[in-house]
Structures are given as C-alpha cells and as structure tokens.
Amino acid sequence: MKAEPFEPLRTEDGSLTLVHPAFGESYSSRYGAWMQANELYLKLTQTHQHPSPRVLEVGFGLGVNFRATLENCLQRGVCLEYLSYEAFPVSREVLASVEMPLSVAARKVWARILEGWPAAPGGSLCQEGAWGRLEVRFEDVTQALFPNGWATAVYLDPFSPKVNPEPWQPGVLSKLFAAARGGARLATYSVAGGFRRTLAAAGFTVRKVPGIGKKAWTVAERPEA
Ligand SMILES: C[S@@+](CC[C@H](N)C(=O)[O-])C[C@H]1O[C@@H](n2cnc3c(N)ncnc32)[C@H](O)[C@@H]1O
C-alpha cells in the first residue's frame, strides 16, 4: 500500500475529505462528507431513531460516519455501540486533520479516541465511556470474524468495487448477514446489479433508494426471523 500524502478535498457541503493515494478515490462523497454520513448511513439504516444502536462498519477510514453517529446518539441521550473494521488505517495526524462540525461533548470523545489511536497498525482500538463504546479492529474484513446476530445497522463503506473488490465479495456479504440482527438495515452507495443480487442471495431484502443527487443507494434489510 502506497504511503501518504493524502490529497485534501473540500466537499460540496463544506466538510473535508481526503483522496487515497493508492485507491485513487475519496473517503467520502464529493457531494458532502458530513452530509453523506448523516443523511445516508445514519438515516437509511434508521440508526438516528434506534434506542440502543449497534453499528457494524466496513471501513473506519477517517471516522466520519462514526462521528456523525456519535453526535446523533449524544444529542438523543442513547448509548452507542460501534464496531468498525479497517485494514489500512491512517495515522493519528491524518485522522486529526479531518475535522467535522461536532458539539463540545462529541469533540471530547473524539479527542480521547485520537489520543488512543495506535502509532503502529495491528490489533484493535477500544474506547468506552458514558456515551457508549467504539472498537476498531485493524483487520481485513475478508479474514475477520464478525459477531453473530449483533448489529442493528451495517455501514458497508469500502472504496468502490472497481478499485477495492475484496470487501464486496459474497463471503463478506454472507458474514454481514450473519452479523445482523433481525430487522437490521445495511446501507451502501453501490447499486451494482451483481452486488445487489449477491446481497439478496445472502438473505437480505434489497431496495434501491434515492441517494445523493441522481445517484441511488442500496438499503438491505435482514428480515425478522
Ligand atoms: C470509503 S473509506 C471509508 C470511510 C469511512 N467510513 C469514514 O466514515 O470516514 C473505505 C475504507 O475501507 C478500508 N478498507 C478497504 N479494504 C478493506 C478491507 N479488505 N478490510 C477492511 N477495511 C478495508 C479502507 O482502508 C478505507 O479506510
């Protein structure tokens, strides 16, 4: 994997993202990094209304989805459990360079997470407090074990299938199905036909929904048992 530098990109809602030097794609949508996290991952999975959300994420990246979810849970006074997988973590400095419009309370939690962010890749990061718990496992999702019947929401957020095909493989989608609880929703930006058929074959009920601008998104639900 090619080392830094990452190219900064100001997205259309004013929030920052970075372009990965090896994958050649930005970590979040060019239409709005903060908007995408709040309006799509958070809301399409109905995490913004869940009384005790447990989010499983593929690709922690710059922690934008985590911070949007944290902010929402702090505002609602609900406890968040967030488990994310990241095979190619950025350094603490890179993570700290991508600021989001957080409340004072969320900023404090994020500052502690940055302090605990490992200097070298490997293992996992675990932080908890009155707000809930974050675990980032620095693993490749194709090899990783997921908890069984655990997640109320799945944020499937690798780079695109074209440049980063591994996390979109049938084996990973089946593991995500097993990791989801009945009624859990998965959200992602790919609407590729083959990918959606594989999601359905894994057991999900799959829909195309309006996403950003003219771009549709995929929402998949694990039916109640
Ligand atoms: C689009 S970015 C994720 C953005 C992130 N969700 C956020 O809110 O900032 C995709 C992430 O997936 C990670 N990734 C790519 N392949 C992976 C794999 N096989 N296993 C785990 N993570 C992977 C990349 O390193 C990258 O950080």
Side-chain angles (χ1 to χ4, degrees), residues 27 57 59-65 86-88 139-141 157 164:
Y27 277 85
E57 179 178 55
F60 186 77
L62 305 175
V64 177
N65 292 342
E86 177 51 63
F88 313 109
E139 296 174 27
D140 180 337
V141 287
D157 194 16
N164 186 198

Side-chain angles (χ1 to χ4, degrees), residues 59-118:
F60 186 77
L62 305 175
V64 177
N65 292 342
F66 168 71
R67 281 179 274 178
T69 310
L70 170 71
E71 183 68 75
N72 172 270
C73 289
L74 285 171
Q75 280 173 20
R76 293 191 297 125
V78 305
C79 185
L80 170 65
E81 290 183 71
Y82 201 100
L83 171 62
S84 190
Y85 291 82
E86 177 51 63
F88 313 109
V90 298
S91 68
R92 182 187 299 141
E93 291 66 35
V94 170
L95 209 51
S97 72
V98 181
E99 293 190 16
M100 290 294 137
L102 298 182
S103 62
V104 173
R107 204 168 282 278
K108 275 189 191 158
V109 174
W110 182 241
R112 281 209 47 215
I113 288 163
L114 287 177
E115 273 169 33
W117 193 256

Side-chain angles (χ1 to χ4, degrees), residues 7-150:
E7 186 196 320
L9 177 73
R10 188 65 62 185
T11 68
E12 285 186 14
D13 68 359
S15 61
L16 190 66
T17 190
L18 302 176
V19 177
H20 194 286
F23 287 108
E25 292 187 352
S26 54
Y27 277 85
S28 293
S29 167
R30 289 163 186 261
Y31 291 107
W34 190 236
M35 179 277 292
Q36 174 184 261
N38 281 285
E39 297 303 318
L40 297 166
Y41 285 109
L42 185 74
K43 291 190 180 163
L44 290 180
T45 57
Q46 296 188 330
T47 300
H48 67 306
Q49 295 174 334
H50 201 286
S52 48
R54 287 177 167 181
V55 178
L56 191 159
E57 179 178 55
V58 175
F60 186 77
L62 305 175
V64 177
N65 292 342
F66 168 71
R67 281 179 274 178
T69 310
L70 170 71
E71 183 68 75
N72 172 270
C73 289
L74 285 171
Q75 280 173 20
R76 293 191 297 125
V78 305
C79 185
L80 170 65
E81 290 183 71
Y82 201 100
L83 171 62
S84 190
Y85 291 82
E86 177 51 63
F88 313 109
V90 298
S91 68
R92 182 187 299 141
E93 291 66 35
V94 170
L95 209 51
S97 72
V98 181
E99 293 190 16
M100 290 294 137
L102 298 182
S103 62
V104 173
R107 204 168 282 278
K108 275 189 191 158
V109 174
W110 182 241
R112 281 209 47 215
I113 288 163
L114 287 177
E115 273 169 33
W117 193 256
S124 65
L125 168 133
C126 208
Q127 291 265 345
E128 47 194 316
W131 56 273
R133 182 173 193 274
L134 167 69
E135 182 174 354
V136 185
R137 298 186 186 167
F138 298 110
E139 296 174 27
D140 180 337
V141 287
T142 62
Q143 308 299 319
L145 289 177
F146 295 164
N148 235 349
W150 180 84

Side-chain angles (χ1 to χ4, degrees), residues 208-224:
K208 238 194 227 183
V209 298
I212 305 176
K214 287 184 181 160
K215 166 115 185 58
W217 271 49
T218 293
V219 173
E221 185 166 340
R222 176 174 175 146
E224 297 282 358

